[in-house]
Amino acid sequence: MRFTTDTSSDGIREQLFVLGETPGALWTPDAPARPRPLVLLGHGGGEHKKAPAILARAHRLVAERGFAVVAPDVPGHGDRPVQEEYDRIATANQARIAAGAEPGPLLAEFHALVARRTVPEWRAVLDAVQRLDHVGAGPVGYWGVSLGCGLGVPFVAAEPRVRAAVLGLGGALASAGEAARITVPVEFLLQWDDERVPRAAGLALFEALGSAEKTLHANPGRHGDLPAFELDGALRFFGRHLG
């Protein structure tokens, strides 16, 4: 892991890093080093590790809960180079959706393809970050919706360190098998009028989760209309399960 910047402001330390081919950002309290809970944030499609919504979540988790937060750039996003294969598929999918194709199956196939690369990358990020004295090997949580859900479901299913996850705005077309292997507590977010993920697909993914403790938060509105107050709920959820 190579750090490229290290700054502090308002009690929050921000470190940008590169691990192999994966750029990322790490936020921690600007305080004496000790083991602490860690939340990995998976950003949405077209976003990156320092998108405004990612920053807002990270800063509140650090400032209000004392957690560490890490956000890697997904392939083809942020500081990563364009991936020709992914770019070609995404462009073709956009054209098919514009011509009237159902977006759900296309997005599910694309997320499954990208997850084959991101899951091992994110596990390596956890390895590296938890070796740092100011993070340590505390409990781990995951937060991700839309693309962050499509990649997060196989990640949470594969990573035993994750103790709780916030997921949502995703469907079960490509991830029902992985969802069934998830047994940790899950808070699932669904937009009732989602134009990209059919309501039935989102409900099917919630149903497929193998967790004994899972909660569905359904709100009116389209895919991009997730209410800001859901962040309050996520903070309480992680506080209960990560300490």
Side-chain angles (χ1 to χ4, degrees):
M1 173 176 277
R2 177 174 59 87
F3 289 103
T4 57
T5 68
D6 190 335
T7 59
S8 294
S9 179
D10 297 326
I12 298 174
R13 183 181 183 184
E14 177 186 278
Q15 296 171 284
L16 301 185
F17 65 84
V18 179
L19 179 66
E21 298 181 3
T22 308
L26 172 66
W27 297 272
T28 52
D30 191 7
R34 64 171 178 82
R36 61 185 71 250
L38 170 68
V39 175
L40 191 148
L41 300 180
H43 64 72
E47 295 185 340
H48 53 85
K49 61 185 175 297
K50 290 189 67 176
I54 293 292
L55 282 175
R57 294 179 193 112
H59 284 190
R60 288 194 61 185
L61 284 163
V62 174
E64 298 179 29
R65 292 292 174 180
F67 290 179
V69 180
V70 65
D73 278 334
V74 171
H77 292 69
D79 291 326
R80 301 187 72 149
V82 172
Q83 298 288 320
E84 292 185 5
E85 179 186 12
Y86 298 160
D87 194 49
R88 173 179 54 78
I89 295 172
T91 300
N93 284 349
Q94 290 170 3
R96 292 170 68 183
I97 292 169
E102 285 291 330
L106 299 176
L107 293 173
E109 292 176 6
F110 182 68
H111 292 171
L113 173 66
V114 180
R116 289 198 285 271
R117 180 167 183 176
T118 56
V119 169
E121 288 182 346
W122 289 0
R123 298 186 76 180
V125 166
L126 285 188
D127 290 341
V129 169
Q130 289 200 309
R131 284 195 292 265
L132 301 171
D133 290 341
H134 56 298
V135 177
V140 176
Y142 178 79
W143 191 102
V145 299
S146 193
L147 174 63
C149 179
L151 305 181
V153 167
F155 170 69
V156 175
E159 180 46 71
R161 285 172 288 187
V162 174
R163 296 190 187 179
V166 176
L167 301 164
L169 308 186
L173 288 170
S175 54
E178 288 93 346
R181 299 204 308 272
I182 293 175
T183 58
V184 300
V186 173
E187 193 165 272
F188 192 85
L189 310 179
L190 183 142
Q191 287 299 101
W192 205 246
D193 310 296
D194 196 320
E195 75 284 6
R196 301 184 66 186
V197 180
R199 184 187 306 162
L203 292 171
L205 178 54
F206 176 75
E207 178 66 24
L209 292 165
S211 306
E213 180 183 338
K214 55 183 179 180
T215 305
L216 175 67
H217 289 200
N219 292 285
R222 291 164 64 85
H223 190 80
D225 296 336
L226 189 68
F229 62 70
E230 287 294 354
L231 178 54
D232 298 330
L235 289 171
R236 292 191 295 270
F237 173 78
F238 285 130
R240 287 196 305 274
H241 295 292
L242 303 184

